[in-house]
Amino acid sequence: MHLFLIGFRATGKSTVARRLSELLQRPFIDLDREICLSSGLSIAEIFKASGEAQFRELEAQQLRLVCNGPPSVIALGGGIVLLEQNRTCLQRYGRVAWLSASPVEIEARMHNDPDHFSNRPALTELSATDEVATILNERMPLYAACADYTIATDKLTVEQVAEKIAKWWQRVDTNNQPT
């Protein structure tokens, strides 16, 4: 069974997943990185060249590939929940931890990451503040529907988030049921 991390961009999915893989002694996979490696393009380049719909198809294909691999800790892109086939895949192949953060915190993290805006395409024509609020509001019901466990990351360190998820996961893994 895989441990999937979902949530909006800049909620810490990749960083926390990397630490979780160490704590749980499981392979770490960053799905966005796998998409970039398989396509030879950055996410921003895929969006620019082919559009969001093509990116979402590449994302779904890559998700299916990693789901058939060994049990891993998998950081997923913020939009993975948009396609029903992806939501079904998450439920079938593992358990899902949703990393949430407030719009203010997300925007602050985005601005504190020097590579964020060059590596991640804008999803709307809105300002960064309005885009975060709008897209987050649209996706929250999908994240909630997928999540077996939810953790607000605003005031926690990466280590604290990873430890809380690891404790939950150990109960899930032992019982094979979310608690």
Side-chain angles (χ1 to χ4, degrees):
M1 181 175 353
H2 297 292
L3 172 53
F4 298 109
L5 273 61
I6 64 169
F8 199 73
R9 55 177 63 175
T11 56
K13 300 178 302 287
S14 295
T15 307
V16 170
R18 194 173 291 110
R19 179 63 184 125
L20 272 168
S21 77
E22 296 167 0
L23 291 172
L24 301 175
Q25 298 180 333
R26 286 178 173 236
F28 161 67
I29 297 171
D30 183 311
L31 197 70
D32 283 349
R33 183 175 182 277
E34 295 299 313
I35 294 166
C36 293
L37 289 173
S38 69
S39 70
L41 300 169
S42 72
I43 293 170
E45 290 169 332
I46 295 168
F47 266 72
K48 185 176 181 181
S50 306
E52 184 175 1
Q54 178 60 32
F55 173 77
R56 296 294 169 210
E57 180 54 37
L58 293 172
E59 186 177 51
Q61 289 172 9
Q62 201 64 46
L63 178 62
R64 288 190 299 273
L65 286 173
V66 300
C67 281
N68 289 313
S72 302
V73 178
I74 304 172
L76 301 170
I80 196 78
V81 297
L82 295 173
L83 298 180
E84 184 177 346
Q85 65 182 329
N86 293 344
R87 296 189 303 269
T88 300
C89 194
L90 299 181
Q91 293 170 344
R92 181 174 297 144
Y93 290 98
R95 296 287 185 248
V96 180
W98 172 21
L99 280 62
S100 69
S102 70
V104 170
E105 181 67 20
I106 290 169
E107 188 175 3
R109 290 177 185 178
M110 288 168 45
H111 285 289
N112 288 331
D113 178 355
D115 297 324
H116 180 84
F117 291 102
S118 61
N119 293 332
R120 301 288 183 217
L123 300 173
T124 68
E125 298 293 323
L126 301 170
S127 69
T129 300
D130 291 340
E131 179 175 289
V132 168
T134 300
I135 301 295
L136 185 59
N137 189 49
E138 291 170 0
R139 291 181 183 175
M140 282 178 65
L142 298 172
Y143 292 141
C146 290
D148 296 304
Y149 180 79
T150 302
I151 184 165
T153 63
D154 294 73
K155 297 182 189 312
L156 300 175
T157 65
V158 168
E159 190 66 28
Q160 289 169 324
V161 173
E163 286 176 4
K164 287 177 183 286
I165 295 171
K167 285 179 186 174
W168 164 76
W169 178 256
Q170 288 165 345
R171 290 191 309 268
V172 169
D173 200 35
T174 300
N175 300 325
N176 199 24
Q177 293 294 323
T179 59

